[in-house]
Amino acid sequence: MTPPASRPENEPLLLSSDRDGVRTLTLNRPDRKNALNPPLWVALRDALRAVTDDDGVRALVLTGAGGAFCSGADISVPEDVHPDRKLRRLTDVALALYELPIPTVAKVTGVAVGAGWNLALGCDLVVATPESRFCQIFAKRGLSIDLGGSWLLPKLVGLQQAKRLVLLADTIDAGEAHELGLVTWVKAAAEIDGFVDELAARLAAGPPVAMAHSKALLKAGADCTLPEALANEARAQPGNFATADSAEAYAAFAQKRDPSFTGKWAVPPRT
């Protein structure tokens, strides 16, 4: 078996690239299957927070270098800090990803283990290859689940399956993950890059304000009653009517063309 490629000494732990409104963040520790060490946790937190403040970014792809997504937190090197501080790094990353208003895609090749799998599950959509493998490995390390997995898994697969995945810490393949609803699409390794590029481009071309509202409504809807959800929807929709995108959508439909969405506020200023 060919060993994972090592990272050049001066190369960043986290790579960032932009293309047509899509930002791709790549975990870059291929020699450790992109295990998250303290500097990488901080770099990822800062990069996710920066996305929120950049109006030019309309979709995010999160992936890993060297044929793996992420093997979880790097526990190979002891760290002389209080556990509360260690866990705060994880909490900051999980919340920064959760709070992003733009659509997010995890592109998973190779392994997604422990916190690495929950990092992928924190994205809105997950694309994997048939070779991808997933494991909630915490029990095998004498640890309990983290990075939001205790909240994400029951919502995605139900409580019983979540218990099975966490308490037994079994490794499952991409096919089973897809059947459970933990992977959105499975694509051949030769096809995944092109598929994710096209998917991210479609998401970036959508109406940014309306999509941010929908994403927030779906998250809130999972924990509220139907009357509450309907009230939330009623509050959100006027904000969409007040953007240029609403008029653009109707014009594009009438003119039989693709719409060009900007998210710009279209209400005249008060005089």
Side-chain angles (χ1 to χ4, degrees), residues 69 106-113 117 120-121 126-135 157 164-165 170-189 192:
F69 181 75
K107 180 168 69 173
V108 179
T109 58
V111 297
V113 173
W117 189 7
L121 294 178
V126 180
V127 188
T129 66
E131 297 78 20
S132 301
R133 296 293 181 268
F134 305 86
C135 181
V157 300
R164 189 262 293 191
L165 291 168
D170 289 336
T171 297
I172 65 172
D173 61 22
E176 184 175 357
H178 182 258
E179 290 176 359
L180 289 170
L182 299 169
V183 165
T184 323
W185 295 278
V186 179
K187 295 294 175 180
I192 191 170

Side-chain angles (χ1 to χ4, degrees), residues 207 243-261:
T243 69
D245 291 345
S246 180
E248 168 63 8
Y250 283 100
F253 178 78
Q255 297 166 18
K256 296 182 172 58
R257 62 173 174 81
D258 292 332
S260 179
F261 294 124

